[in-house]
Amino acid sequence: MVCCTALLCASAALAQVSQPGDKAVGPVNDRPPAILDKVGIAQHLDQQLPLELAFVDETGTPVRLGQYFGKHPAILALVYFQCPMLCSEELNGLTAALRMVKLTPGKDFDVIVVSIDPTEGPALAAQKKASYLKRYGQPETAAGWHFLTGKQPEIDLLTKTVGFGYVKIPGPDGRLTQFAHASAIQIVTPEGKLAQYYMGVEYSPKDLRLGLVEASNNKIGTPVDNILTYCYHYDPAINTHSLIVARVMQLGGLVMVLGLGGFMLVMFRRDAREARRPLIRTHLTETKMNG
């Protein structure tokens, strides 16, 4: 029904003849939704983290951010544990990359994951730590993984220092339970200074190792291309917000490549069959003549 309606509308439009100037093409709006104006990553390289900030770790123990610094560099990830997509992809990508980095959490560096949602607590943090420690496959490194929750003032100061811009948005139930944000991890020196940013949800093990090694010597890196992966989607049909991993273009490209590959395979097989047919007919003819 939709296709038929579209065709009828197109036919009607072609049948109409308009004078010059009767119709004008409106401006193309290719900018992100306005809500994303406050969402992004500002790379505050060489910025000192507020090490006095108080949080709670996955065991429910009060901690200070500074107690994870002094000896080793750290990888800092700002997420929220109930994020339905992007945060999990970010931590999955980090864990996968670390499995190929010949450095040991707790010995050579620490992983610090801080929730930006003040309603989340230690129980949820403990679940996430257990999940990613299992994915990492080295339970003996548990002391190097820290999943923290905290109150809004501490979260605000940390995210502002890091340059992590996010906006709280309503979920499908209309409640403010979700966040529009971008994805990135940060390398921090043993002194607690921001040394390097890595954008997106997939990280090069080689770059990650180099960043940790350089940060261990308190070396500050250089800004990287600010190509952001957003965790945001607005559905005007239901007038609510929901979250997705904004990598539709990559997925579309993959589908196109797979489709093209399948088409080429079918064509090659057909050409091969067509090429064999004259040989089969020749063989049959020679068999009859010899018979």
Side-chain angles (χ1 to χ4, degrees):
M1 179 64 70
V2 175
C3 293
C4 292
T5 303
L7 288 174
L8 287 173
C9 292
S11 299
L14 289 173
Q16 296 175 357
V17 178
S18 57
Q19 297 297 323
D22 287 350
K23 296 182 180 180
V25 178
V28 177
N29 184 11
D30 57 355
R31 70 182 306 275
I35 195 172
L36 295 183
D37 289 345
K38 297 181 180 180
V39 176
I41 305 293
Q43 300 179 49
H44 294 170
L45 293 170
D46 205 22
Q47 180 72 40
Q48 176 68 54
L49 292 182
L51 300 182
E52 73 283 358
L53 291 182
F55 291 95
V56 178
D57 70 9
E58 67 279 352
T59 68
T61 303
V63 297
R64 286 189 316 107
L65 187 62
Q67 72 185 61
Y68 303 117
F69 296 94
K71 296 181 179 180
H72 315 297
I75 299 173
L76 174 65
L78 299 176
V79 300
Y80 70 107
F81 301 139
Q82 297 182 91
C83 179
M85 277 196 177
L86 187 61
C87 298
S88 296
E89 292 295 324
E90 177 181 322
L91 295 179
N92 289 345
L94 173 60
T95 305
L98 289 178
R99 291 177 63 182
M100 294 182 280
V101 173
K102 302 303 181 182
L103 296 173
T104 305
K107 177 183 177 182
D108 302 308
F109 67 96
D110 283 273
V111 179
I112 305 172
V113 183
V114 182
S115 172
I116 61 174
D117 186 350
T119 67
E120 296 181 334
L124 190 55
Q127 294 176 13
K128 288 297 181 179
K129 177 174 178 175
S131 173
Y132 286 103
L133 195 60
K134 181 179 180 181
R135 178 182 287 269
Y136 184 61
Q138 297 182 36
E140 68 277 7
T141 66
W145 296 74
H146 316 283
F147 285 69
L148 310 182
T149 54
K151 297 180 180 179
Q152 194 67 60
E154 285 73 20
I155 293 171
D156 288 345
L157 184 53
L158 180 58
T159 54
K160 182 179 180 181
T161 302
V162 173
F164 184 88
Y166 68 98
V167 177
K168 198 165 189 178
I169 58 176
D173 58 358
R175 298 181 179 180
L176 292 173
T177 56
Q178 298 182 354
F179 298 86
H181 63 92
S183 177
I185 59 173
Q186 296 78 39
I187 304 293
V188 189
T189 71
E191 297 178 349
K193 291 187 176 182
L194 292 162
Q196 189 64 68
Y197 287 72
Y198 296 106
M199 304 297 180
V201 295
E202 295 179 356
Y203 314 104
S204 163
K206 181 180 178 181
D207 291 344
L208 202 55
R209 185 183 189 282
L210 179 61
L212 287 168
V213 170
E214 291 184 342
S216 67
N217 296 315
N218 294 306
K219 182 178 179 180
I220 305 300
T222 56
V224 298
D225 291 338
N226 212 359
I227 302 175
L228 300 180
T229 302
Y230 289 107
C231 188
Y232 167 84
H233 176 66
Y234 179 73
D235 188 348
I238 57 175
N239 197 29
T240 61
H241 299 80
S242 60
L243 301 182
I244 61 170
V245 177
R247 307 188 71 180
V248 179
M249 294 301 292
Q250 292 183 6
L251 179 60
L254 178 61
V255 171
M256 183 180 70
V257 170
L258 291 176
L260 182 60
F263 174 78
M264 293 177 65
L265 180 61
V266 171
M267 295 301 294
F268 286 151
R269 287 183 173 178
R270 190 180 71 175
D271 291 342
R273 287 197 300 268
E274 292 293 334
R276 286 199 300 269
R277 285 179 182 175
L279 296 177
I280 295 173
R281 286 196 294 268
T282 301
H283 177 71
L284 292 173
T285 301
E286 291 178 353
T287 302
K288 291 180 180 180
M289 292 177 62
N290 293 334

